């Protein structure tokens, strides 16, 4: 039994023990989402498929698995799903423009040496592929934040059914402010954790601050973090407003 199997078993036992049946569904959802991503990679290599459109469809499937399969179909998951789709739709044009303006598509000079033996003429628009990567990177954090807003808002309304729409919306924003700070830090340190080797590379080859900031690899990851952060910030008022409008009828 290798390390991956051992860690997977430990994770499953903990999720089953703490989360019960929902924990088991959460564990299985990891593999379902991985299957969607794997199938997505297979289709993205086809020259006739638009990577952006296919990624949006994959994000819809991932959101359905994450929200409806794990937490079942109810008002909280419906609003979280709707808010996620509105946020992704709002970000879509912005991400496409940022990808073209920043020219972050393709590979940086730190990566070209390892890929020099392969042909890059694969018939895929790397600009669209770069935008698809940014969209896929943002979907998890946006869905998580939308659910983290809708669930407490439902509890607030459940205990205070006479609350006004404006007060419920304000409560959602207050909840979102607490989540926003921790989410931004999570995204930031996830980058440094996964790219610690790149940082050591910069230090070993005595990169100046200007060279680091203008490095394509560094810029790609930072733009991904910033776009995801923008999506997390946008989904907070969107979820708060939609759910407040849905719960408070008058």
């Amino acid at each position: 039994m290798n390390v991956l199997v051992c860690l997977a078993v430990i994770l499953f036992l903990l999720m089953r023990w703490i989360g019960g049946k929902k924990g088991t569904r959460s564990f299985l959802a990891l593999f379902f989402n991985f299957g969607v991503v794997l199938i997505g990679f297979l289709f993205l290599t086809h020259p006739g498929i638009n990577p952006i459109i296919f990624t949006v469809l994959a994000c819809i499937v991932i959101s359905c698995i994450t929200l409806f399969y794990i937490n079942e179909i109810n008002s909280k998951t419906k609003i979280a799903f709707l808010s996620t789709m509105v946020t992704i739709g709002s970000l879509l044009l912005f991400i496409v423009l940022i990808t073209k303006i920043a020219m972050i598509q393709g590979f940086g000079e730190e990566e070209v040496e390892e890929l020099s033996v392969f042909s890059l003429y694969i018939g895929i628009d790397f600009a669209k592929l770069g935008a698809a990567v940014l969209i896929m990177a943002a979907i998890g954090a946006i869905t998580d934040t939308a659910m983290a807003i809708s669930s407490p808002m439902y509890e607030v309304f459940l205990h205070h059914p006479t609350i006004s729409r404006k007060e419920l919306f304000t409560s959602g924003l207050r909840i979102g402010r607490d989540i926003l700070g921790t989410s931004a830090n999570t995204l930031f340190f996830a980058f440094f954790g996964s790219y610690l080797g790149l940082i050591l590379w910069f230090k070993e080859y005595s990169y100046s601050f200007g060279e680091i900031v203008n490095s394509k690899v560094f810029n790609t990851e930072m733009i991904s973090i910033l776009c995801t952060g923008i999506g997390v910030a946008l989904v907070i008022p969107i979820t708060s407003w939609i759910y407040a409008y849905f719960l408070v009828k008058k």
Side-chain angles (χ1 to χ4, degrees), residues 183-197:
S183 298
N185 278 280
T186 300
L187 296 172
F188 182 74
F189 287 109
F191 162 73
F192 280 98
S194 59
Y195 276 83
L196 185 59

Side-chain angles (χ1 to χ4, degrees), residues 156-226:
V156 171
F157 179 77
L158 191 65
H159 290 85
H160 302 280
T162 58
I163 191 172
S164 67
R165 183 176 293 169
K166 182 179 179 181
E167 290 173 339
L168 186 59
F169 172 72
T170 305
S171 298
L173 289 182
R174 283 198 296 265
I175 296 167
R177 292 190 188 105
D178 295 334
I179 297 171
L180 183 60
T182 55
S183 298
N185 278 280
T186 300
L187 296 172
F188 182 74
F189 287 109
F191 162 73
F192 280 98
S194 59
Y195 276 83
L196 185 59
L198 177 64
I199 297 171
L200 295 176
W201 172 290
F202 289 151
K203 181 181 181 300
E204 183 68 23
Y205 287 92
S206 302
Y207 275 53
S208 66
F209 179 75
E211 289 173 329
I212 294 175
V213 172
N214 288 285
S215 171
K216 180 175 284 189
V217 177
F218 181 82
N219 271 276
T220 300
E221 292 305 315
M222 290 305 297
I223 289 176
S224 176
I225 291 172
L226 294 174

